[in-house]
Amino acid sequence: MPVLMKKETRLLHAGRNPERYHGAVNVPVFRASTILLPSVAAMESGGRSLFEGVRYGRFGTPTTFALEEAVAELEGGVRTVATSSGLAAISGALMAFLKSGDHLLMTDSAYAPTRKFCDEILAGLGIETTYYDPLIGSDIAQLMRPNTRVVFTESPGSLTFEVQDIPAIATAAHEGGAIVMIDNTWGVLNFQPFEKGADISIQAATKYIVGHADAMLGTITTASEALWLKVKSSVAAFGHSPGTEEMYLGLRGLRTLPVRLAQHEASALTLTRWLEKRPEVERVLYPALESDPGHAIWKRDFRGACGLFGLILKPASKAAVDAMLDGYHHFKLGFSWGGFESLVIPTGGHSIHRTATQWRPTGPSLRFHAGLEAVEDLIDDLEHGFQRLADHS
Ligand SMILES: *Cc1c(COP(=O)(O)O)cnc(C)c1O
């Protein structure tokens, strides 16, 4: 076997075992709750071995283990736990390490449901969250307390696109005795979290890993076996196990992730460069652009980008912006991202809920996902949109 294999190649092999499945290229969909065990002794063995091998559907089947192996490869981590959604991965990872009386540092740019989980569920359990400026860097040391257990990052923020200095944050967090988690959904293949100091990396696999807008799935990958066991125990205790069909779709999506992602990135670059020059546009939020404030850190830490970017328009009426969005042919209105189809959402009018920092763009803000349509068609769609914006102003 060749010694060197690039990540794209390794992702084609990861988790597969055709010899075991009659030569079938893909790992089958295992439909199982009950697993028949050979003896009472096997049944009674508890503890850690509960999570090794196939024992009960909720703890995982060969389909689960194939997906987990492949995602560990993608993230460059030691082991992965699959969950029923991206949000279940976030809540599952947080609950594995936080208990009453603990303190959590959460980026102010976090995905809104992550914030809601902290404010509603963690607060109710006596776990305190302090939000911090995503651009804080090593100054996060000043926010660390003796009971700070977790520092949570998301880079770039999926609505506001601030690129975080993960190595600086991780160094300070580790010095203070906390572990570092990252929501790596935007970075997916292009940010190697463990090389940059993270201990736990989360994917909303619903987005680029599944890649076709047809399944909900999440993953939690860890830097060590010991962290994995904590996460696995917690996720199993909550019962966050994903459906087998969803895991199959995740595995299937993963094989083509590198080529899809390259196209999403290329289209987003073309679109953002075009948008930057438009008179209707105040600012484009996309770290791969040289003009983006996060570009230097992005260039240092990422090996590429994806199809998701933000846009701040010059001041315009809501009616005009709504007409622009309602009339798009290719940029459909819908939540989520990472599928083959282009999407757009308005991102909270003139402000986004923040507590540590302010987010007050000077005009309407939007978020786009560049899908796999020909980029000429997407530009044409945007151009007609600006015409509607003008017509309704
Ligand atoms: C969508 C998303 C999630 C949540 O994933 P679901 O599968 O929808 O639960 C988490 N983080 C980010 C950055 C996301 O975009």
Side-chain angles (χ1 to χ4, degrees), residues 324-342:
M324 179 175 94
L325 301 189
D326 286 346
Y328 280 139
H329 209 76
H330 299 298
F331 288 97
K332 303 288 192 196
L333 288 160
F335 295 110
S336 197
W337 46 284
F340 52 83
E341 193 172 49
S342 287

Side-chain angles (χ1 to χ4, degrees), residues 80-120:
T80 298
V81 179
T83 60
S84 51
S85 70
L87 189 58
I90 291 165
S91 61
L94 288 170
M95 292 307 294
F97 296 96
L98 294 167
K99 62 182 188 320
S100 180
D102 285 348
H103 178 236
L104 162 68
L105 283 171
M106 173 60 67
T107 178
D108 211 21
S109 54
Y111 176 66
T114 303
R115 180 181 278 268
K116 193 174 159 81
F117 181 77
C118 297
D119 295 348
E120 292 186 6

Side-chain angles (χ1 to χ4, degrees), residues 14-132:
R16 290 176 45 215
N17 195 344
E19 299 74 27
R20 188 182 294 169
Y21 306 117
H22 310 282
V25 169
N26 291 292
V27 177
V29 173
F30 275 83
R31 300 189 178 281
S33 52
T34 299
I35 303 297
L36 303 176
L37 301 171
S39 66
V40 174
M43 196 162 246
E44 286 174 350
S45 73
R48 178 193 174 93
S49 67
L50 200 61
F51 305 132
E52 298 297 353
V54 185
R55 283 185 63 88
Y56 183 54
R58 197 190 322 118
F59 303 143
T61 67
T63 313
T64 319
F65 303 144
L67 173 70
E68 291 176 343
E69 240 179 272
V71 172
E73 182 74 59
L74 170 78
E75 296 263 49
V78 171
R79 267 185 107 165
T80 298
V81 179
T83 60
S84 51
S85 70
L87 189 58
I90 291 165
S91 61
L94 288 170
M95 292 307 294
F97 296 96
L98 294 167
K99 62 182 188 320
S100 180
D102 285 348
H103 178 236
L104 162 68
L105 283 171
M106 173 60 67
T107 178
D108 211 21
S109 54
Y111 176 66
T114 303
R115 180 181 278 268
K116 193 174 159 81
F117 181 77
C118 297
D119 295 348
E120 292 186 6
I121 306 298
L122 294 184
L125 296 173
I127 297 160
E128 191 186 347
T129 301
T130 301
Y131 293 95
Y132 66 87

Side-chain angles (χ1 to χ4, degrees), residues 85-88 90 111 154 158 183 185 204 206-207 216-217 336-337:
S85 70
L87 189 58
I90 291 165
Y111 176 66
E154 180 182 320
S158 62
D183 181 333
T185 306
T206 306
K207 310 294 166 57
M216 305 294 300
L217 192 65
S336 197
W337 46 284

Side-chain angles (χ1 to χ4, degrees), residues 311 313 317-334 342-349 364-368 381-382 384-389 392:
L311 193 66
L313 295 171
S317 72
K318 176 163 165 43
V321 177
D322 288 358
M324 179 175 94
L325 301 189
D326 286 346
Y328 280 139
H329 209 76
H330 299 298
F331 288 97
K332 303 288 192 196
L333 288 160
S342 287
L343 294 170
V344 64
I345 53 167
T347 48
S365 66
L366 306 169
R367 189 185 74 186
F368 287 85
D381 206 21
L382 293 175
H384 282 93
F386 284 134
Q387 192 55 54
R388 285 189 299 280
L389 185 74
H392 288 79

Side-chain angles (χ1 to χ4, degrees), residues 110-174:
Y111 176 66
T114 303
R115 180 181 278 268
K116 193 174 159 81
F117 181 77
C118 297
D119 295 348
E120 292 186 6
I121 306 298
L122 294 184
L125 296 173
I127 297 160
E128 191 186 347
T129 301
T130 301
Y131 293 95
Y132 66 87
D133 180 347
L135 302 178
I136 198 165
S138 57
D139 284 346
I140 200 153
Q142 290 159 25
L143 298 180
M144 295 290 297
R145 302 181 193 166
N147 62 339
T148 307
R149 298 277 171 264
V150 175
V151 176
F152 196 101
T153 65
E154 180 182 320
S155 182
S158 62
L159 284 183
T160 48
F161 298 92
E162 298 95 331
V163 182
Q164 297 197 258
D165 190 341
I166 303 298
I169 290 173
T171 301
H174 290 153

